[in-house]
């Protein structure tokens, strides 16, 4: 099975998860193939957020329980080099890159050292920005993580789709999306979005305004029940609107 077919299979598997817990379980069933056995996804609390409120920011979690308790109790979010690097880079990266590219102080070194106690030696992290502008931090960890460029892309897409699916389940509260119709323009915009074009670039390609291209993407996202741009593209691919 090729990478594209495997990715479609993963997306379809996640789409049929009916609860956030099932999304988490199915995503880890995918990422465990690449050594990523633990997951944390949520919004990043502001510095100084009371520890008792930090867990409210969590969307999906299958982290070792004792590690999560220690992370919150010691306020590690304010010292975690992975979180700091994510805020600066705003693109997918492996944890090891955070240690190589930012200044590691005693507190940061303590965070990474404690993570290794729980067999979280490396991982993959990236920020997810929804179409509404909400920023979600996604972090996957494991003891031995080795990803090819293609596998890195698969895990990033599957993880992004999973977070979107979890948000979709939360916001739709049981609504079912069956047959939908995308307009030709909505399909065109999604096709160009699928290859990484921005709203401005899509507007130039199609000869429309940037506002209009953004509107088409938002309409498509709403029809597909997607929580973000990547999920909208993935759902369009799954339903055969993009080939």
């Amino acid at each position: 099975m090729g990478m594209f077919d495997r990715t479609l299979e993963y997306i379809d598997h996640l789409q049929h998860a009916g609860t956030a817990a099932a999304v988490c379980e199915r995503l880890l069933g995918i990422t465990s193939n690449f050594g990523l056995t633990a997951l944390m996804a949520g919004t990043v609390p502001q510095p100084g957020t009371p520890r008792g409120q930090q867990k409210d920011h969590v969307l999906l979690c299958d982290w070792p329980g004792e590690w999560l308790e220690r992370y919150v109790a010691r306020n590690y979010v304010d010292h975690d080099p992975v979180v700091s690097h994510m805020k600066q880079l705003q693109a997918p990266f492996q944890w090891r890159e955070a240690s190589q590219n930012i200044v590691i102080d005693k507190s940061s070194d303590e965070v990474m050292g404690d993570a290794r106690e729980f067999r979280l030696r490396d991982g993959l992290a990236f920020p997810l920005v929804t179409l509404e502008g909400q920023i979600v931090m996604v972090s996957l960890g494991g003891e031995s993580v080795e990803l090819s460029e293609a596998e890195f892309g698969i895990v990033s897409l599957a993880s992004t789709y999973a977070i979107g699916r979890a948000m979709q389940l939360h916001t739709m509260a049981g609504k079912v999306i069956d047959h939908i119709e995308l307009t030709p323009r909505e399909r065109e915009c999604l096709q160009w979005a699928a290859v990484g074009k921005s709203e401005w670039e899509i507007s130039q390609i199609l000869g429309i305004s940037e506002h209009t291209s953004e509107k088409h993407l938002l309409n498509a996202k709403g029809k597909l029940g997607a929580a973000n741009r990547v999920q909208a593209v993935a759902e369009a691919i799954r339903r055969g609107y993009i080939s």
Side-chain angles (χ1 to χ4, degrees):
M1 182 183 293
M3 287 291 186
F4 182 73
D5 289 332
R6 286 174 64 192
T7 304
L8 285 181
E9 183 180 277
Y10 291 154
I11 289 172
D12 192 62
H13 195 52
L14 290 165
Q15 176 63 24
H16 286 88
T19 65
V23 170
C24 191
E25 179 183 359
R26 293 186 183 192
L27 177 59
L28 286 174
I30 296 166
T31 63
S32 293
N33 296 318
F34 309 102
L36 297 161
T37 57
L39 164 69
M40 170 66 75
T43 54
V44 180
Q46 293 295 321
T49 297
R51 295 169 188 174
Q53 297 178 17
Q54 290 185 15
K55 288 186 180 180
D56 295 338
H57 289 261
V58 175
L59 294 174
L60 293 178
C61 180
D62 195 333
W63 227 234
E66 188 180 342
W67 167 235
L68 178 61
E69 293 298 329
R70 185 185 302 184
Y71 193 95
V72 173
R74 298 184 181 181
N75 200 36
Y76 276 167
V77 69
D78 288 344
H79 307 285
D80 190 339
V82 173
V83 174
S84 298
H85 192 55
M86 188 181 306
K87 289 178 179 178
Q88 296 175 16
L89 187 64
Q90 297 189 356
F93 63 92
Q94 284 191 241
W95 291 2
R96 68 187 73 162
E97 296 175 35
S99 299
Q100 296 168 356
N101 291 290
I102 67 172
V103 177
I104 299 295
D105 58 20
K106 183 179 179 180
S107 296
S108 300
D109 191 54
E110 182 181 357
V111 175
M112 301 308 288
D114 280 7
R116 288 191 287 271
E117 287 185 29
F118 295 93
R119 304 178 70 179
L120 300 174
R121 296 181 176 276
D122 196 10
L124 168 65
F126 60 93
L128 165 61
V129 182
T130 71
L131 289 176
E132 289 75 24
Q134 185 179 23
I135 299 176
V136 177
M137 168 183 162
V138 182
S139 189
L140 290 145
E143 188 169 24
S144 179
V145 181
E146 293 298 332
L147 294 166
S148 68
E149 185 175 348
E151 290 168 342
F152 193 97
I154 287 176
V155 170
S156 296
L157 177 59
S159 300
T160 302
Y161 188 85
I163 301 304
R165 176 58 178 162
M167 295 174 70
Q168 178 187 54
L169 287 168
H170 176 72
T171 58
M172 294 193 66
K175 293 179 182 178
V176 178
I177 295 178
D178 189 12
H179 180 70
I180 60 173
E181 288 290 344
L182 296 179
T183 68
R185 270 291 193 237
E186 288 166 355
R187 292 192 188 197
E188 285 180 314
C189 288
L190 281 172
Q191 286 174 331
W192 287 112
V195 296
K197 299 299 183 183
S198 68
E199 282 84 349
W200 181 84
E201 290 172 321
I202 294 171
S203 72
Q204 297 302 298
I205 293 168
L206 299 180
I208 57 180
S209 71
E210 183 176 0
H211 174 74
T212 300
S213 67
E214 180 181 8
K215 182 179 179 181
H216 286 314
L217 287 172
L218 284 170
N219 287 343
K221 171 249 180 185
K223 290 179 179 179
L224 293 165
N228 54 66
R229 178 186 175 119
V230 174
Q231 193 198 8
V233 169
E235 182 65 10
I237 292 173
R238 190 184 75 84
R239 288 175 173 270
Y241 294 119
I242 299 177
S243 57

